[in-house]
Amino acid sequence: MRGSDGMQEALFTVAKLEDFVPADHPLRPIRLLVNAALVRLNGLFNTIYADNGRASIAPEKLLRAMLIQVFFSVRSERQLMEQVRYNLLYRWFIGLAIDDEVWDHSTFSKNRDRLLEHAVVENFFTEVMTVADRQGLLSREHFSVDGTLIQAWASHKSFARKDGGSDDANGGGSGRNAQANWKGKPRGNDTHASTTDPDSRLFRKSHNTAATLCYQGHVLMENRSGLVVSAVVTHADGKGERAAALAMLDRLPGRHLKTLGADKAYDLRDFVQACRQRRVTPHVASNVTHIGGSAIDGRTMRHSGYAASQVVRKRIEEHFGWGKTIGRIRQTVYRGIKRVDQHFKLTMTASNIVRMARILTLPPQGVAQ
């Protein structure tokens, strides 16, 4: 007999969000790791919020919602709030009951900015690394470093002269989208700045690529499990990668011997010498085409550890690739170096959590899956 196409809802329904999430869903181990890190932030949250007054969004739920935005490539807070209204998986992960009211997107954005003011994302990143360290996932001796470009949320047309002059002469047209004519006119960061995002810089990665308004994201990775132990965003310039690498090395605990794998961009005598002063052996790829030759000699390259570092360092690209395709850091939607830095750190934290969940849920060797 043909079934009826009608729908008759029951007057009362008894259901829990837990029943809608499969037992083997990949978000389950991820949520356990996130909650383990959030518990350690309870003291920080108590200092941020007042003891009385109107209750705001719980910071734990706010951070989980921000992670959902990264995990599922949700492009805006407005779209995130819309999807939380009907997506039971999102509600379960964030900690909202079925009948809980979803926040307005503007309220969500204002509360997110409060986390920026108190460096909550940085502390969350640290606590996730503490959880990883307790699980024995981190190396204390062997590291790798690399950087990537993050395209700014600004166009070339916003790159205007700092002295108030105009480069658009003979461009034709008028209005906010007027035709521009920059032919034969030098444009650089010393004389120009973006009116949309003044913190961005005009930069190109090589002579074969176009210059874009962008930032530089830098990552320091430990080599045992391939987890990011430090991440930072800086202005884009020719020295940013090496300066950020040294700054991240200075934040590593302990004065014991360490190794640092890196690509040819780090093969400069000043950087190699600075690493050695920090008791860090620079396992940097040799750039024999550089003027003056490579700063890495045979005494370093002859060891098997050097070859191992050169293989493992390429795993940083997995974090960059995941962040640009899933976390949407290829072109940031935020303006200002502080917000871009927060977005980059949160994305690298999410990448770490995904990797940790996969490592910790793998069956022991010799056990069939």
Side-chain angles (χ1 to χ4, degrees), residues 13 16 83 114 144 205 273 333 340:
T13 301
K16 297 183 297 182
Q83 295 189 12
R114 177 179 293 180
S144 299
K205 191 171 184 179
Q273 183 179 2
V333 296
V340 176

mmCIF file of all heavy atoms in Angstrom, residues 13 16 83 114 144 205 273 333 340:
data_model
loop_
_atom_site.group_PDB
_atom_site.id
_atom_site.type_symbol
_atom_site.label_atom_id
_atom_site.label_comp_id
_atom_site.label_asym_id
_atom_site.label_seq_id
_atom_site.Cartn_x
_atom_site.Cartn_y
_atom_site.Cartn_z
ATOM 1 N N THR A 13 7.390 15.658 22.012
ATOM 2 C CA THR A 13 8.508 14.850 21.506
ATOM 3 C C THR A 13 9.615 14.822 22.555
ATOM 4 O O THR A 13 9.998 15.877 23.080
ATOM 5 C CB THR A 13 9.064 15.426 20.195
ATOM 6 O OG1 THR A 13 8.025 15.460 19.218
ATOM 7 C CG2 THR A 13 10.224 14.569 19.680
ATOM 8 N N LYS A 16 16.963 13.812 22.692
ATOM 9 C CA LYS A 16 18.174 14.485 23.134
ATOM 10 C C LYS A 16 19.104 14.681 21.945
ATOM 11 O O LYS A 16 19.133 13.858 21.020
ATOM 12 C CB LYS A 16 18.873 13.656 24.218
ATOM 13 C CG LYS A 16 18.069 13.458 25.494
ATOM 14 C CD LYS A 16 18.885 12.680 26.513
ATOM 15 C CE LYS A 16 19.214 11.298 26.012
ATOM 16 N NZ LYS A 16 19.972 10.508 27.033
ATOM 17 N N GLN A 83 22.922 28.817 10.413
ATOM 18 C CA GLN A 83 23.045 27.367 10.349
ATOM 19 C C GLN A 83 22.904 26.711 11.723
ATOM 20 O O GLN A 83 22.430 25.578 11.831
ATOM 21 C CB GLN A 83 24.377 26.994 9.707
ATOM 22 C CG GLN A 83 24.479 27.415 8.242
ATOM 23 C CD GLN A 83 25.711 26.854 7.562
ATOM 24 O OE1 GLN A 83 26.389 25.976 8.079
ATOM 25 N NE2 GLN A 83 26.007 27.375 6.380
ATOM 26 N N ARG A 114 35.604 40.591 22.409
ATOM 27 C CA ARG A 114 36.046 40.568 23.803
ATOM 28 C C ARG A 114 37.142 39.527 24.000
ATOM 29 O O ARG A 114 38.088 39.740 24.760
ATOM 30 C CB ARG A 114 34.870 40.268 24.733
ATOM 31 C CG ARG A 114 35.260 40.164 26.199
ATOM 32 C CD ARG A 114 34.066 39.879 27.085
ATOM 33 N NE ARG A 114 33.135 41.000 27.128
ATOM 34 C CZ ARG A 114 32.007 41.002 27.840
ATOM 35 N NH1 ARG A 114 31.685 39.926 28.557
ATOM 36 N NH2 ARG A 114 31.216 42.043 27.824
ATOM 37 N N SER A 144 60.432 22.589 13.109
ATOM 38 C CA SER A 144 60.491 23.105 11.747
ATOM 39 C C SER A 144 59.747 24.433 11.700
ATOM 40 O O SER A 144 58.848 24.679 12.513
ATOM 41 C CB SER A 144 59.859 22.118 10.752
ATOM 42 O OG SER A 144 60.534 20.877 10.757
ATOM 43 N N LYS A 205 55.730 37.154 -3.418
ATOM 44 C CA LYS A 205 56.546 36.053 -2.904
ATOM 45 C C LYS A 205 57.793 35.843 -3.747
ATOM 46 O O LYS A 205 58.838 35.452 -3.232
ATOM 47 C CB LYS A 205 55.710 34.771 -2.854
ATOM 48 C CG LYS A 205 56.362 33.640 -2.087
ATOM 49 C CD LYS A 205 55.390 32.496 -1.894
ATOM 50 C CE LYS A 205 56.023 31.395 -1.030
ATOM 51 N NZ LYS A 205 55.068 30.279 -0.811
ATOM 52 N N GLN A 273 73.605 32.182 12.139
ATOM 53 C CA GLN A 273 74.384 32.558 13.316
ATOM 54 C C GLN A 273 73.488 32.805 14.522
ATOM 55 O O GLN A 273 73.811 32.402 15.645
ATOM 56 C CB GLN A 273 75.216 33.802 13.017
ATOM 57 C CG GLN A 273 76.122 34.235 14.154
ATOM 58 C CD GLN A 273 76.939 35.461 13.814
ATOM 59 O OE1 GLN A 273 76.806 36.025 12.731
ATOM 60 N NE2 GLN A 273 77.788 35.884 14.744
ATOM 61 N N VAL A 333 38.986 37.394 6.031
ATOM 62 C CA VAL A 333 37.813 38.267 5.960
ATOM 63 C C VAL A 333 37.853 39.308 7.069
ATOM 64 O O VAL A 333 36.889 40.043 7.272
ATOM 65 C CB VAL A 333 36.504 37.446 6.054
ATOM 66 C CG1 VAL A 333 36.379 36.522 4.856
ATOM 67 C CG2 VAL A 333 36.450 36.655 7.347
ATOM 68 N N VAL A 340 43.470 39.494 12.219
ATOM 69 C CA VAL A 340 44.019 38.473 11.326
ATOM 70 C C VAL A 340 44.872 37.490 12.115
ATOM 71 O O VAL A 340 44.831 36.280 11.876
ATOM 72 C CB VAL A 340 44.845 39.138 10.203
ATOM 73 C CG1 VAL A 340 45.499 38.078 9.314
ATOM 74 C CG2 VAL A 340 43.952 40.033 9.347
#
